[in-house]
Amino acid sequence: MNYRHAFHAGNFADLVKHAGLLRLMAALTKSAGPLTVIDTHAGRGLYDLTGAEAQRSGEAQAGIGQLMTAVDLPAGFAPLRAAVTKLNNSGPTKLYPGSPRLIADTLRKKDVYIACELRGEEHAALRQALKGRNGIETLCADGYDTAVARCPAKGAVLVLIDPPFEKADDYARIVATLKAVTRRNREAVVMVWLPIKDLQTFDSFLNEAQDAGAGPLLVAETRMRPLSDPMKMNGCALVIARAPADLAAPLEEICRWTAQTLGEKGQGRVSVLS
């Protein structure tokens, strides 16, 4: 499969991932020391929702389009809606920020962001989206390897792992990276986004992630529909190693609103695996 996120930008999974990411960044940037952020699969950083891909899929309209007009939006989504509003100059939602743009807009002067994107065309667009920003390095490189090699041995670190899952070994490489990053820096926070198609695959990953010895895992699930068809993306999850203590409550309201408002008999929940 040749994955192109332009078809899916601003969909329900992006809402969960990016709302959770902004809440996590807010928590991590409260500390006085510098923060290093390593993004293993950064993508292009900025998406045109008026483009052919987004218009063809209709996922943005069913996702960010609904969020921007919602009147019952929980507080957990406030930073994301504010970021999208600012990006579009308070006008119609024509542009949607990927994780790189959201991270870059949140960084302080003392922080560092390393954004990896292996596809040449996407990396070129990423460089353009982040052009002129200080403290940011974009690499056309394998993000898993870079996360381990560039993770500082000390200090605050966030590793974001968000692969397209077009390769058979993505789950195994996520677990290996989680384990290696933990060995290198016991304080590093790792946030993994993954699809939920069937319980067997999801539960297997959680078991392996626990065995990686990465400390407590905060698991935020957004199940958009019953898991009756494993060929569909029936939901998504955020799995966060060593998450800040105050992250569970906003994540739960983010997952529940998305599943119940945008899903089909959906459910959202948060749990902790020690």
Side-chain angles (χ1 to χ4, degrees):
M1 180 177 66
N2 184 13
Y3 180 90
R4 293 188 64 187
H5 193 66
F7 286 96
H8 312 292
N11 69 357
F12 81 89
D14 266 2
L15 304 188
V16 173
K17 174 176 60 181
H18 292 145
L21 174 62
L22 286 175
R23 286 293 178 178
L24 182 55
M25 286 292 296
L28 295 177
T29 52
K30 286 181 181 178
S31 62
L35 172 68
T36 298
V37 182
I38 305 174
D39 194 347
T40 64
H41 298 76
R44 59 174 44 229
L46 188 64
Y47 297 92
D48 179 5
L49 300 185
T50 67
E53 297 96 335
Q55 291 294 308
R56 189 185 309 170
S57 72
E59 292 184 30
Q61 185 55 43
I64 189 61
Q66 298 299 310
L67 184 146
M68 296 303 289
T69 58
V71 296
D72 61 342
L73 199 65
F77 278 113
L80 178 60
R81 181 146 76 173
V84 175
T85 298
K86 182 179 179 180
L87 177 63
N88 289 278
N89 297 315
S90 299
T93 306
K94 297 181 179 180
L95 297 174
Y96 186 79
S99 299
R101 182 64 181 258
L102 293 171
I103 292 170
D105 287 347
T106 310
L107 292 178
R108 302 163 299 178
K109 290 183 179 180
K110 56 189 170 184
D111 299 329
V112 173
Y113 176 40
I114 303 170
C116 304
E117 175 51 52
L118 196 54
R119 298 173 182 82
E121 181 180 351
E122 296 292 286
H123 178 256
L126 175 65
R127 289 186 63 187
Q128 183 62 33
L130 300 180
K131 185 178 180 181
R133 305 268 188 149
N134 294 322
I136 294 177
E137 182 179 0
T138 64
L139 300 175
C140 189
D142 184 287
Y144 296 118
D145 291 340
T146 303
V148 178
R150 298 290 299 275
C151 177
K154 296 181 180 180
V157 178
L158 169 62
V159 176
L160 172 61
I161 305 178
D162 172 28
F165 291 94
E166 62 183 2
K167 297 181 179 179
D169 65 346
D170 273 321
Y171 285 101
R173 294 201 70 190
I174 291 171
V175 173
T177 303
L178 178 60
K179 187 174 184 178
V181 167
T182 299
R183 284 178 176 175
R184 190 169 177 87
N185 186 328
R186 293 296 304 182
E187 298 179 2
V189 176
V190 181
M191 184 175 107
V192 179
W193 177 92
L194 63 157
I196 298 178
K197 294 185 176 182
D198 62 276
L199 275 181
Q200 182 177 357
T201 302
F202 183 56
D203 287 345
S204 177
F205 171 80
L206 291 180
N207 289 333
E208 292 181 6
Q210 280 186 280
D211 291 341
L217 300 176
L218 181 64
V219 182
E221 301 178 47
T222 303
R223 300 188 184 186
M224 299 294 283
R225 61 184 67 88
L227 309 184
S228 56
D229 185 352
M231 299 305 293
K232 291 183 178 180
M233 189 170 81
N234 296 307
C236 67
L238 297 177
V239 179
I240 307 174
R242 294 172 293 275
D246 59 351
L247 192 63
L251 276 185
E252 187 167 16
E253 67 178 12
I254 287 166
C255 293
R256 285 185 176 178
W257 184 89
T258 303
Q260 294 174 1
T261 307
L262 306 182
E264 306 162 15
K265 299 180 180 179
Q267 296 181 339
R269 65 180 185 179
V270 171
S271 58
V272 178
L273 303 178
S274 57

